């Protein structure tokens, strides 16, 4: 298949999402498909990307995508002649009027995360725009598009409740780069002296207020077990407050913040952990999301403490200990033996290789697109 993909993807600020689309494009190309993906602000074409100009002034980013991206989309539609076009809630309207013609590609609307959610911060105008785009793109996808893809089964169920046809909604999540996140390939850095002899919990990624970090820190404070340490790797709006907490007497020497490192160096830092800890709140936003951090720990053969939110990623519970904040204190009073953690870590990596690698996600998307081809266009 020839696949034309036009997400609102910005080269300078969407670095993680660029990895998502790059890895998915690579997997699809390995399967024999030809993929073209639009990237706003990319300096030059690379590996099938379509560079779009970016107006980097207030309001200019979205405006340039809507104007210059729409022009580029029309050009690619004519020159590339795709079999499948994948758009998102920002670019869904690019599909018109082509979507109304008989001889046209399959059109799919891809939702990665909800635009309109309670944890979204920003000015009133930005929230109103997000709500409008979420609703109008959702209506258009159910009424006109051939298919819809989402990132979690829960998100799919939400769309079904809104009236989407079950056979036209597919699920593919974020995958793990199992070559990069491979303990056998990571020489790693030895644990620093200040972690020697400790049972190390770790959380990495954005240090924000909606990821359960402060709740875990408060549990660590009450638990008062000097052997247990929490290491946070990353940056974000909560970092300054966390740095202050790390200096308090009852947390000093047990709460550590590492400076952000390049993505390629993250796996070696994860080897410092005995377990990952991810007690994200069970909000509508996170239920419709696909937190990749859990799978990165498992790929590095590290078991994880996680809330029920993550159970769909490990339904058997063989590699993840599911608990809530209230039961974390008693868990840490008697951590599992090292041998059990090692066995769970090995099982976690096997699960990731089978279900959550980029190859597995590419196969899910390909199978869904072929099923749409078999049903025909709307």
């Amino acid at each position: 298949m020839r696949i034309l993909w036009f997400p609102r993807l910005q080269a300078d600020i969407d670095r993680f999402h660029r990895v998502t689309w790059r890895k998915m494009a690579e997997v699809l190309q390995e399967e024999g498909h030809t993929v073209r993906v639009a990237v706003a602000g990319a300096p030059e074409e690379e590996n099938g990307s379509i560079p779009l100009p970016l107006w980097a002034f207030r309001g200019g980013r979205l405006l340039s995508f809507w104007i210059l991206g729409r022009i580029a989309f029309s050009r690619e539609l004519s020159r590339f002649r795709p079999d499948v076009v994948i758009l998102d809630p920002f670019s869904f309207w690019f599909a018109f009027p082509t979507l109304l013609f008989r001889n046209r590609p399959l059109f799919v609307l891809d939702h990665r995360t909800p635009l309109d959610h309670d944890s979204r911060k920003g000015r009133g105008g930005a929230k109103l725009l997000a709500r409008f785009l979420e609703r109008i793109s959702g209506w258009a996808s159910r009424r006109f598009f051939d298919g819809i893809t989402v990132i979690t089964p829960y998100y799919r169920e939400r769309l079904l409740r809104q009236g989407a046809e079950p056979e036209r909604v597919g699920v593919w999540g974020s995958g793990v780069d199992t070559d990069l996140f491979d303990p056998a390939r990571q020489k790693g850095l030895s644990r620093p002296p200040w972690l020697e002899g400790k049972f190390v919990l770790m959380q990495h990624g954005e240090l924000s207020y909606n990821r359960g970090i402060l709740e875990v820190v408060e549990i660590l404070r009450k638990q008062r077990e000097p052997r247990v340490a929490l290491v946070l790797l990353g940056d974000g709006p909560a970092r300054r407050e966390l740095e202050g907490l790390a200096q308090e007497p009852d947390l000093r020497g047990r709460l550590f913040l590492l400076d952000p490192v390049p993505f390629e160096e993250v796996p070696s830092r994860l080897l410092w952990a005995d377990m990952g800890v991810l007690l994200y709140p069970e909000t509508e936003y996170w239920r419709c999301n696909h937190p990749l951090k859990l799978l990165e720990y498992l790929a590095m053969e590290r078991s994880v403490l996680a809330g029920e939110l993550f159970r769909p990623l490990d339904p058997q519970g063989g590699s993840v200990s599911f608990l809530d904040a209230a039961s974390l204190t008693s868990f840490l009073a008697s951590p599992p033996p090292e041998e059990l953690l090692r066995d769970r870590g090995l099982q976690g990596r096997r699960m990731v290789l089978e279900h959550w690698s980029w190859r597995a996600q590419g196969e899910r998307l390909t199978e869904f697109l072929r099923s749409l081809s078999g049903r025909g266009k709307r």
Side-chain angles (χ1 to χ4, degrees):
M1 287 183 284
R2 299 167 67 83
I3 302 172
L4 179 61
W5 211 324
F6 257 76
R8 189 196 176 199
L9 187 60
Q10 303 168 86
D12 56 341
I13 62 176
D14 292 332
R15 294 179 182 176
F16 170 75
H17 293 99
R18 282 190 70 188
V19 171
T20 296
W21 271 274
R22 178 173 56 81
K23 296 300 294 185
M24 178 57 86
E26 289 175 358
V27 168
L28 293 174
Q29 287 165 353
E30 289 174 3
E31 293 182 0
H33 307 298
T34 305
V35 184
R36 299 272 288 160
V37 181
V39 183
E44 59 185 17
E45 183 173 332
E46 58 178 5
N47 195 28
S49 66
I50 306 166
L52 303 178
L54 181 67
W55 298 339
F57 57 84
R58 183 176 176 179
R61 289 177 175 271
L62 183 55
L63 190 62
S64 62
F65 178 70
W66 278 347
I67 295 175
L68 303 178
R70 182 63 177 86
I71 293 171
F73 176 78
S74 297
R75 182 185 66 242
E76 291 293 328
L77 198 62
S78 174
R79 294 180 180 176
F80 185 52
R81 303 183 68 82
D83 302 300
V84 178
V85 173
I86 304 178
L87 303 174
D88 72 2
F90 289 96
S91 60
F92 79 96
W93 62 274
F94 292 5
F96 297 95
T98 308
L99 188 57
L100 305 177
F101 300 160
R102 182 178 298 275
N103 295 320
R104 61 169 177 81
L106 285 170
F107 276 87
V108 175
L109 188 74
D110 180 56
H111 294 266
R112 288 297 86 193
T113 57
L115 295 181
D116 183 27
H117 53 85
D118 293 339
S119 60
R120 184 182 182 91
K121 300 185 182 299
R123 296 180 293 275
K127 286 190 174 184
L128 288 174
L129 177 60
R131 182 171 302 170
F132 171 76
L133 290 174
E134 178 99 359
R135 293 183 179 181
I136 191 66
S137 66
W139 173 81
S141 64
R142 295 191 299 272
R143 176 66 180 82
F144 298 105
F145 278 62
D146 302 298
I148 305 170
T149 53
V150 293
I151 196 169
T152 65
Y154 181 90
Y155 204 162
R156 181 178 185 271
E157 292 300 318
R158 189 170 95 161
L159 293 184
L160 297 186
R161 292 194 297 270
Q162 295 171 356
E165 300 175 29
E167 66 274 10
R168 294 190 180 272
V169 184
V171 179
W172 67 272
S174 296
V176 179
D177 185 341
T178 52
D179 291 330
L180 177 62
F181 285 85
D182 181 356
R185 298 191 181 193
Q186 292 289 338
K187 296 180 180 178
L189 302 173
S190 335
R191 266 194 185 183
W194 36 272
L195 288 180
E196 287 301 325
K198 293 186 178 294
F199 183 81
V200 178
L201 303 177
M202 183 179 286
Q203 183 163 340
H204 70 291
E206 181 179 310
L207 304 182
S208 58
Y209 291 97
N210 69 338
R211 300 185 181 225
I213 302 173
L214 291 173
E215 290 79 359
V216 173
V217 170
E218 188 58 29
I219 291 169
L220 188 70
R221 182 203 302 276
K222 293 178 180 179
Q223 203 258 347
R224 297 184 181 278
E225 171 55 60
R227 194 171 77 86
V228 178
L230 174 62
V231 176
L232 303 175
L233 169 62
D235 201 356
R239 183 177 176 100
R240 180 172 295 183
E241 181 175 347
L242 289 164
E243 288 175 336
L245 291 172
Q247 299 306 313
E248 294 185 3
D250 49 358
L251 288 171
R252 188 179 297 122
R254 298 198 297 140
L255 173 61
F256 303 94
L257 281 86
L258 304 180
D259 292 331
V261 298
F263 183 67
E264 293 74 15
E265 297 181 20
V266 169
S268 65
R269 301 306 193 278
L270 300 191
L271 289 174
W272 294 357
D274 289 293
M275 299 186 77
V277 57
L278 300 167
L279 297 187
Y280 286 29
E282 292 191 50
T283 62
E284 184 76 0
Y285 172 75
W286 285 119
R287 290 189 186 101
C288 292
N289 219 306
H290 183 107
L292 187 58
K293 308 308 178 188
L294 177 137
L295 302 174
E296 291 174 348
Y297 284 109
L298 297 183
M300 293 301 293
E301 300 179 358
R302 293 298 184 266
S303 186
V304 182
L305 295 167
E308 285 293 326
L309 174 76
F310 290 90
R311 190 174 288 277
L313 301 183
D314 183 18
Q316 303 303 319
S319 307
V320 180
S321 298
F322 296 105
L323 42 70
D324 55 20
S327 54
L328 178 58
T329 301
S330 57
F331 181 93
L332 295 179
S334 180
E338 183 178 340
E339 183 178 348
L340 176 60
L341 291 179
R342 187 183 305 111
D343 289 343
R344 286 189 169 186
L346 292 171
Q347 181 174 339
R349 179 164 178 83
R350 288 194 296 268
M351 183 191 72
V352 168
L353 290 171
E354 183 176 354
H355 298 290
W356 300 111
S357 66
W358 277 115
R359 183 173 299 282
Q361 302 312 310
E363 290 172 353
R364 286 191 180 116
L365 178 57
T366 297
E367 182 179 353
F368 176 67
L369 295 178
R370 285 176 176 156
S371 74
L372 292 180
S373 299
R375 291 189 183 92
K377 305 180 181 72
R378 281 187 180 275

